């Protein structure tokens, strides 16, 4: 059984030693639990891709303890520095031109000339990053395509036999992955919605919110891993279900309708931040319980709702070997 430790100084020192020795360590951030590896160690990064079953063409996010450390690996520009000043540390990832010294290996970047970087807000995560003293690449600590982990026991259940240590820092307060913004071009692009909303980014950069979504036709996919099946439970998911059908488990919003089967509300008080924090844990729970499918209530699109609906749409994608990009 994998070792699970509370975030003491000793546990953080042990985790940092393991990372420097090329081992995999899972740790909490404010968004979801990450599966960490030394970003400059090819063997460790290869082990990380293998542990998740993640295709190597889907690049990883490197985590650093502060902005100064970030600029050693990513090319600063006015867009990046404006967003960093306002939102770091916090649930924002910036895709920048890579300018490294080997700290983030080509394997971790999936061979791209760009890299994704973030400074998490979680005090435990930052203490670990400081102690490790190198970029720590960390995808969500779940098997590829599966539901993201927001508690240590989710990590243990999904990857327990493939991780050296899990630092248990309790449930993740935000509950959905960081917002990803590409700042490599003249115009910023929102690649993945999260707790830092499109409106917050647009306001900070003084651009219209609609411009963050770029051209919707054609064009190369700029975020490998953004368009496909992901975050998925084992059971089929039915979205925008105003009421559950017999035999379904129900993930509701606000007050629950009468239902002869499992039913839980993302937020009884219709609080969108509470719903985001509950999303993955409730999907884990309904997936493990009774019911042949999971029906999900319509969720408003405002604030964190955009991130919740993005994850739900991907989770509802049918299984397709060819479209697995695995996050
Ligand atoms: O909140 C989070 O971001 C969590 C915690 C652990 O920090 N991490 C996380 O990592 O969600 P992951 O690997 O599940 O998602 C990383 C996303 C993927 O969709 C990947 O394709 C994208 O970031 N990405 C990474 N590098 C990129 C790059 N150079 N260009 C475009 N997208 C990139
Ligand atoms: Mg993921």
């Amino acid at each position: 059984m994998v070792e699970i430790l509370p975030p003491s100084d000793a546990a953080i020192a042990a985790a940092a030693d393991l990372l420097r020795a090329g081992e995999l360590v899972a740790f909490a951030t404010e968004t979801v639990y990450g599966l960490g590896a030394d970003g400059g160690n090819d063997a460790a990064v290869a082990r990380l891709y293998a542990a998740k079953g993640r295709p190597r063409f889907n690049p990883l996010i490197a985590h650093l303890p502060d902005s100064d450390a970030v600029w050693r690996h990513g090319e600063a520009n006015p867009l990046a520095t404006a967003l960093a000043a306002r939102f770091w540390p916090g649930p924002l990832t910036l895709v920048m031109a890579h300018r490294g010294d080997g700290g983030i290996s080509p394997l971790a970047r999936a061979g791209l000339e760009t890299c994704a970087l973030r400074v998490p807000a979680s005090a435990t995560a930052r203490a670990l990053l400081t102690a490790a003293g190198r970029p720590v690449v960390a995808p969500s600590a779940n098997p590829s395509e599966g539901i993201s982990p927001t508690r240590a026991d989710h990590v243990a259940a999904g990857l327990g036999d493939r991780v050296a240590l899990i630092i248990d820092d309790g449930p993740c307060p935000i509950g959905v992955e960081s917002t990803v913004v590409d700042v490599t071009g003249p115009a910023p692009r929102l690649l993945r919605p999260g707790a830092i909303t499109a409106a917050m980014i647009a306001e900070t950069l003084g651009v219209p919110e609609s411009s963050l979504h770029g051209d919707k036709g054609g064009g190369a996919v700029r975020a490998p891993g953004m368009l496909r099946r992901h975050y998925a439970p084992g059971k089929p998911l039915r979205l925008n279900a105003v009421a559950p059908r017999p035999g379904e488990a129900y993930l509701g919003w606000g007050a629950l309708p009468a239902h002869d089967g499992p039913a839980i509300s993302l937020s009884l008080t219709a609080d969108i931040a509470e719903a985001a924090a509950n999303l993955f844990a409730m999907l884990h729970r309904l997936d493990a319980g009774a019911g042949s499918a999971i029906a999900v209530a319509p969720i408003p699109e405002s604030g964190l709702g955009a991130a919740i609906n993005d994850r739900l749409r991907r989770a509802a994608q049918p299984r397709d070997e060819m479209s697995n990009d695995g996050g």
Side-chain angles (χ1 to χ4, degrees):
M1 208 39 215
V2 60
E3 193 170 16
I4 304 180
L5 295 175
S8 65
D9 290 350
I12 285 168
D17 285 347
L18 286 166
L19 287 169
R20 282 194 301 266
E23 300 289 334
L24 306 183
V25 171
F27 60 98
T29 76
E30 69 277 21
T31 57
V32 299
Y33 275 74
L35 179 63
D38 175 351
N41 179 336
D42 271 321
V45 176
R47 193 171 306 135
L48 189 157
Y49 277 103
K52 275 186 64 98
R54 175 171 172 127
R56 292 182 176 201
F57 57 76
N58 190 6
L60 305 169
I61 297 172
H63 298 63
L64 283 312
D66 54 55
S67 305
D68 286 344
V70 165
W71 310 134
R72 288 201 284 276
H73 303 281
E75 189 86 42
N77 64 30
L79 296 175
T81 51
L83 291 172
R86 170 114 181 251
F87 299 115
W88 277 346
L92 174 71
T93 294
L94 296 179
V95 173
M96 289 178 259
H98 175 248
R99 64 182 290 258
D101 51 2
I104 304 173
S105 79
L107 185 56
R109 290 180 278 116
L112 299 173
E113 297 301 315
T114 55
C115 59
L117 297 156
R118 107 168 175 97
V119 179
S122 151
T124 303
R126 291 173 75 198
L128 175 59
L129 297 171
T130 302
R134 50 195 72 180
V136 173
V137 288
S140 50
N142 54 280
S144 189
E145 284 204 356
I147 306 171
S148 300
T150 54
R151 297 190 324 220
D153 60 289
H154 298 155
V155 182
L159 294 174
D161 55 344
R162 282 162 266 177
V163 187
L165 172 64
I166 302 172
I167 305 281
D168 183 354
D169 203 18
C172 300
I174 292 176
V176 291
E177 294 81 352
S178 61
T179 306
V180 181
V181 180
D182 182 335
V183 291
T184 57
R189 290 283 181 266
L190 178 66
L191 300 183
R192 177 172 73 182
I196 308 299
T197 62
M200 292 158 79
I201 292 159
E203 200 238 322
T204 303
L205 299 179
V207 300
E209 200 180 313
S210 59
S211 73
L212 295 174
H213 302 290
D215 77 292
K216 295 235 165 156
V221 177
R222 292 165 57 117
M226 290 288 96
L227 292 177
R228 298 154 178 175
R229 180 180 167 86
H230 205 141
Y231 316 103
K235 292 175 185 172
L237 217 59
R238 185 168 71 85
L239 302 186
N240 297 312
V242 179
R245 296 172 184 156
E248 286 180 334
Y250 192 56
L251 186 58
W253 166 254
L256 288 169
H259 178 50
D260 186 17
I264 30 178
S265 178
L266 283 168
S267 170
L268 284 167
T269 57
D271 173 337
I272 202 76
E274 184 189 16
N278 283 334
L279 176 69
F280 290 131
M282 289 183 171
L283 283 173
H284 277 285
R285 220 166 97 192
L286 293 177
D287 203 28
S292 56
I294 302 172
V296 186
I299 311 296
E301 187 71 16
S302 58
L304 266 159
I308 295 173
N309 285 319
D310 167 76
R311 305 309 188 271
L312 286 171
R313 276 192 298 272
R314 293 178 210 288
Q317 290 298 308
R319 273 180 211 289
D320 176 351
E321 289 297 310
M322 298 310 292
S323 70
N324 174 8
D325 63 8

